[in-house]
Amino acid sequence: MVKIVDTMGRIKLQPGIKAIEEEPKEYEDIPLNRAALACMINSEIGAVLAIMRRNVRWGGRYMSGDDQLEHGLIQSLKALRRNVFMWEDQWGEISPVLYLEPFLEVIRSDDTGAPITGIALSAVYKILTLDVFDLSTIDVDKGMLMVVDAVTSCWFEETDPASEEVVLMKILQVLLACMKSKASVVLSNQHVCTIVNTCFRVVHQAGTKSELLQRTARHTMHELIRCIFAHLPEVDSIEHSIVKGGISNKSEDAMFLGAMNENANGIGLGKDGGALENVHLMTEPYGVPCMVEIFRFLCSILNAVEHIGATSRSNTIAFDEDVPLFALGLINSAIELGGASFLQHARLMNLIQNDLFLNLMQFGLSMSSLILSMVCSIVLNLYRHLRTELKLQLETFFSCVILRLAQSKYGASYPQQEVAMEALVDFCRQKAFMVEMYANLDCDITCNNVFEDLANMLSKSAFPVNCPLSSMHLLALDGLIAVIQGMAEKVSDESMGLESAPVTLEEYTPFWMVKCGNYKDPNGWVPFVRRRKYIKRRLMIGADHFNRDPKKGLEFLQGTHLLPEKLDPESVACFFRYTAGLDKHLVGDFLGNHDEFCVQVLYEFTKTFDFQDMNMDTALRLFVDTFRLPGEAQKIQRVIEAFAERFYEQSPHILADKDAAFLLAYSIIMLNTDLHNAQVKNKMTEEEFIRNSRCVNIPREYLSEVYHSICKNQLRTTPEQGTGPPEMNPSRWIDLVHRSKKTAPYIVGDDGAYLDHDMFAIMSGPTIAAISVVFDHAEHEDVYQTCIDGFMAIAKISAFHHLEDVLDDLVVSLCKFTTLLNPSSVGEPVLTFGDDTKARMVTVAVFTIANRYGDYVRTGWRNILDCILRLHKLGLLPARVAIDAADEMELPLEPGHGKPLASTLTSAHLASMGTPRRCSGLMGRFSQLLSLDTEEPGSQPTEQQLAAHQRTLQTIQTCHIDSIFTESKFLQSESLLQLARALVWAAGRPQKITGSPENEDTAVFCLELLIAITLNNRDRIKLLWQGVYEHIASIVQSTLMPSALVEKAVFGLLRICQRLLPYKENLADELLRSLQLVLKLDARVADAYCEQITQEVSRLVKANANHIRSQMGWRNITSLLSVTARHPEASDAGFEALQFIMSDGAHLSPLNFTLVVDTSRQFAESHVGPADRSLRALDLMAGSGMCLVRWAKESKGASKEDAAKLTQDIGDMCLRLVQAVRKACLDQREEVRNHAVSSLRKCLTGVEDVLLPHALWLQCFDVVIFTLLDDLLEIAQGHSQKDYRNIESTLTLAMKLLSTVFLQLLNVLSQLTTFCKLWLGVLNQMEKYVKVRIRGKKSEKLQELVIELLKNMLVVMKTKGVLAPRSSLGGNSLWELTWLHVKNISPSLQSDVFGAEGREQNYMGQLETTQVPKGMISSPDRAVVSQG
């Protein structure tokens, strides 16, 4: 629709443009045939004439002079009949006045009766509804105005009540048709007001008529209001035109002349439509001016009703609710149609803010639930459309009406409570409502905490205390759920929110002057609002401190930067003025104190009040309402002086000076005491009060008004008792109107969750408790679902805003309803669970929260695990959860959640299912149920039992419990850590587990889950490892006998190490160190699982040998392998692992060389298993010497220091190697012993190329070879043949070892300064072996071997020039000492090797030797000589 509006705010007319969108009519779909219009009008003329002829007055002729003439009304109708057919083709050019005037004359005539008037009205109605004329028709404005004037001034003779009612109904019909006509835009403001006034008169008159007329009249009035205010959106602001029009206050207060007159019948309207002073403005085409007057008129109806009913409030329902309901309905219609357009017109908004809302506040406390419901509907409409200009009005409505009526403790009846609660729920369903209440009111230091109060009230109202669940409880629940779901809709699972940064005050800023730069941009108003809320909370805390000790309270506020370090009067005054919860007695005493600072605070305090345009009694009420007036006269005087000065400053036109203001204020206080003190018998009269106040020199009317105000309403100088919502009184309303002009702009909420974190933190606790109680008391599934929806919304919000404690509280509450935490119920718990809809629904909710929002669960994991453990005990967990957790990662991952379970069970399962030994899953439960002995038909499951089990199965499937652990890698670190701790907690202490199989099963299951999440979170193993290790350690160290728990602990530990070593090099040492726990196992436990442990260690070594890079790690590995060498079942696997390490030296390193060699020695010495394994162990040891050679070659490229260190290390390793082999040379088994000697020879000769320190070679001979020869000799002489079979062969091999090694290393050894000592030691050993007796007999074979070996050695030494006459190697003469010892072995060897030269040199050497003083021979040589 095209709208053209002039500068005066009136609708301009353009030809052919529709001004009003009509409602559907019965003629709307019928195309208008202009040719048929003549017939239609002609028929209406005939109808009027016919009804007139039935009356004798109109039926005959009468004489006028000599001519017989008809009545003028009939003549005009007949004249129209003659012309009507002449206009068939030119209706658009015919003035409507021509064909409307005859009918309108009949309507206006005083002589026509009700039937005739009624037919004429019907004719006009038909013409209007057929659109015979439109805006393009000439004189359309005159025609419309004539219709309105005629109908609104209709007179007719009353014949009978029925006919009169018909005429009244037709009047309403025609007036409504005028407003709905396309030509209605030509009507003036005055005519529209007249139409409304006429309709209201009919409504009033219909009170004594039939029910039909009453309903029709009221319906028409509603339609008129809708039609008029539907135009408001089309009208631009014309406030300036109204002001320019100069409508006086007098005209504003009188829309209609005599509009409201109280009479015996109630409310009546005068005949005249009223006359406003500005005739020009009211004669313009209608627009905002008439709407302002109509709206004021509607409010005046409420005012009149209130005055009428004011005296009968003792009987709360005594006054008639019909009229206020009617007026409120009209107002509601106007607001519905006008909508947000009211905001464009200040005068309309002023009516709503002041007159309307005051009436709504008064009628809101009505005992009539119908009136209250209508009031709430109006306020809801006002909120939706106009809330930006009604901030304080809405606060007052909720504080004084909704909060008072919705709770029974303030005396409201149940219907009132229900209506108020329904209204509040409607508000809660507005998505932005609670956010806006919080942002605009709760975060404003001058306003009440409306959001907090409403949320608490809803929570409390939802609690069924000692009573069954009622509709009121469910209403409150709906409100809570609406608020929570509104918050939940703002967040999404994909994008989790961040915690809001805490607000702090770094320095002092006047808290009452905090401003916002942009109230429309969330980036501007959100920090501002949060800062204000922080200030408000701190002020409340400060008030609490102040109430206990004023001085400490002010110091606290200084410490929080809300008051300056050096107190100033203004800041303290503003603290007193704007802080709720202060003790008004303390404030009054402070303000009345004579101290100079307190006096300054008092005057600053008065400056915070706005007394403009107020009577003094109203101003004084507001003033003393903020504190308790002190009791001392001097204090009272100081307070009143400050008040009077402020009042005079703002209202100098009323009083002469501030002294006059003081006198009047004091007079009012004295009057108040006189009138309302029970001890005063003779009350002050009005005349006395005026006479006492004559010195003030103000009008008598003013004083009279003050007197009656004080007389009617006591001026309370002490705080009101009670904690209920405050009642609205006239003075508070005036203050509200003043404050509303200065309050901060209204913040409009949007879809952003800017403040939801703070709001939810306030209401979450009571909300969870309330929904939980309702859920507990509920008995219907729809209520269950409502509660579950609320729980899920709470979980979603908690997760989004990182409110972990709230989510934990929710989980705790929900787990109680699963019945899984309860002791076993009577009967079969699985059947009970399947039949309990509530338990099944909440169980699904618990695990949905765990899966969906597990990132933010903390202590709640304990409760969730309690539920899982209960399901485990009942055998209800899916197989994927119940299997060995160590195999979890090896299972192929299938689409979906976990291993699919059968969703249905039929009789076909009976044959295939047996009774399992242990029910490990849900299918086990079914097999138990279904595989009952067929010989006992009485024990067969019923259909109900099968159905219950089926429901249980479907519920557990829906829970996706397995996903909690398989998807744990996606959990946030803190949540994962809490889950692990919860598993440890749920498992219990190992000392308490061993006594009960059930407890042990629980502990095993918890350990399985713990290992599962450990393996699934290898990237975060460092986070979990300490707790996992300590738990496993406590199990291992406290277990003395084999059990499933220690088995799971040990193998879980080994598999964790096996799987995680490749990925966590920085944690490898920690993992390998944990293997010490296996070494600490009790002997009985270790023996029971040794083979399996070895197999796991073997797997670990084969998979991770390259990742073991510390000596400590290898020490633990080799220690475990060494233990297996003595275990019959485990030795094979242990040796296999050892072979893997040592074969070809692939995994040998300086770190593990000596450890592995020592382990290999233990396998070589072990008598467990075949001897062949010992031989292979010796081969491994012998082959490891090649690694030393390789490392020695690699060291040549290193730096000098590194090479020296590596050489030293290689030497140590070499010595350890040959020492280990030497020990194996003493084995009782001949083949092992002999093979060990051969291996030792390989080791010693294999490292010839290694540049070992000289001292090391001496050690090899002294500690290894010589010691071996001595040990073998001891064995040969001291043990029986049964213990060491064929020891002679070993001695033979040992001698060969000595000779071979000595000769092969002769080049190196001969360069040693101690070579002589070494050589004499060799000769000493050969001398022993020559003389040895085996079983009491000398061994000729050994004797011959020794001599032959010695001869060979001498020849080699001679050849190489090592042994020659006059040789002085080693200090003393090597030559003489050699032959001295050789003579004891074989005297002929010297001549055999050196011939005559040798004998001669030997003789000369002996002479020299005998001449050498004893002091010249070293002690080792002396020892050798003495032995010879």
Side-chain angles (χ1 to χ4, degrees), residues 919-946:
C919 298
S920 59
L922 189 55
M923 296 305 295
R925 298 294 309 182
F926 276 100
S927 62
Q928 277 192 333
L929 179 70
L930 299 174
S931 61
L932 301 173
D933 192 351
T934 55
E935 295 180 1
E936 300 178 6
S939 62
Q940 286 291 334
T942 64
E943 290 294 330
Q944 290 78 9
Q945 290 176 324
L946 286 174

Side-chain angles (χ1 to χ4, degrees), residues 642-663:
F643 164 77
E645 184 174 329
R646 177 62 175 171
F647 184 82
Y648 173 73
E649 179 184 331
Q650 293 189 305
S651 304
H653 58 282
I654 299 177
L655 299 162
D657 51 32
K658 62 181 181 181
D659 293 335
F662 172 76
L663 292 174

Side-chain angles (χ1 to χ4, degrees), residues 5 47 66 115 220-221 289 340 390 410 471 523 550 552 567 633 686 787 826 850 858 1039 1112 1268 1345:
V5 184
D66 297 333
T220 304
M221 191 73 176
L390 299 174
Y410 299 119
S471 59
N523 293 325
K552 290 183 178 180
L567 290 177
E686 180 180 350
C787 294
V826 179
R858 297 293 182 264
T1039 305
M1112 180 275 301
L1268 173 63
L1345 176 66

Side-chain angles (χ1 to χ4, degrees), residues 1216-1228:
R1216 293 290 295 272
L1217 172 63
V1218 294
Q1219 284 180 323
V1221 179
R1222 180 194 67 77
K1223 293 179 182 179
C1225 294
L1226 306 177
D1227 196 278
Q1228 290 182 338

Side-chain angles (χ1 to χ4, degrees), residues 820-821 861-871 985-986:
L820 298 174
L821 304 184
W861 283 122
R862 293 189 176 189
N863 302 81
I864 294 172
L865 284 175
D866 284 341
C867 295
I868 294 176
L869 292 177
R870 179 62 175 162
L871 292 172
W985 172 83

